[in-house]
Amino acid sequence: MVKILVIEDEESVRENILELLDAEGFDAILAENGQKGLHLAQQHDPDLILCDVLMPEMDGYGVLSALRSQGTTATIPFLFLTAKAAKTDIKQGMNLGANAYLTKPFTLAELLDAIATHVGVIHR
């Protein structure tokens, strides 16, 4: 089963993503801020990370930078899920090593396509 870490500070968004991932057969792990997300990534070695940009304690850019600097987490596919859609925001995320950048609101199909692209699973 594909393990996906979701790092999102808004509880309703986090829970919606959890429901979508569960319904599609993924094993989802949740973190409500970047600091906890970083810890869970190191502890659980997920197959993919979905992460918001604007969060308390550590933003998504900080999470990605920290993950990319550690050997055990450096190659985990990392997708930003965020409302920050300016070209400069996207460029910053991609320059830090993000694999994709989905802007909110996104559809289930867009999310599943992004997951399939980066972990090689195909869903309905």
Side-chain angles (χ1 to χ4, degrees):
M1 181 180 285
V2 174
K3 190 183 326 176
I4 299 176
L5 172 59
V6 178
I7 309 171
E8 168 64 58
D9 63 322
E10 289 186 47
E11 185 176 1
S12 61
V13 174
R14 197 171 56 244
E15 292 300 323
N16 285 338
I17 294 171
L18 172 64
E19 287 178 25
L20 295 172
L21 295 177
D22 280 349
E24 295 295 325
F26 294 108
D27 178 18
I29 303 164
L30 304 179
E32 62 270 12
N33 64 54
Q35 197 71 286
K36 288 183 181 178
L38 182 59
H39 175 72
L40 289 174
Q42 295 162 336
Q43 185 178 15
H44 292 279
D45 190 29
D47 298 298
L48 178 80
I49 297 172
L50 303 174
C51 185
D52 192 10
V53 173
L54 296 174
M55 296 181 293
E57 299 193 33
M58 177 184 283
D59 69 10
Y61 299 133
V63 173
L64 180 56
S65 293
L67 291 171
R68 292 296 186 246
S69 71
Q70 300 171 6
T72 57
T73 59
T75 60
I76 298 171
F78 189 100
L79 284 67
F80 277 120
L81 303 176
T82 183
K84 288 182 61 93
K87 287 183 182 187
T88 54
D89 297 320
I90 295 170
K91 184 177 180 181
Q92 181 179 357
M94 300 307 280
N95 285 343
L96 288 171
N99 297 87
Y101 203 103
L102 292 176
T103 55
K104 296 175 186 175
F106 50 85
T107 66
L108 175 59
E110 290 170 329
L111 179 60
L112 293 177
D113 285 347
I115 291 169
T117 297
H118 298 288
V119 294
V121 257
I122 298 173
H123 281 271
R124 317 170 252 209

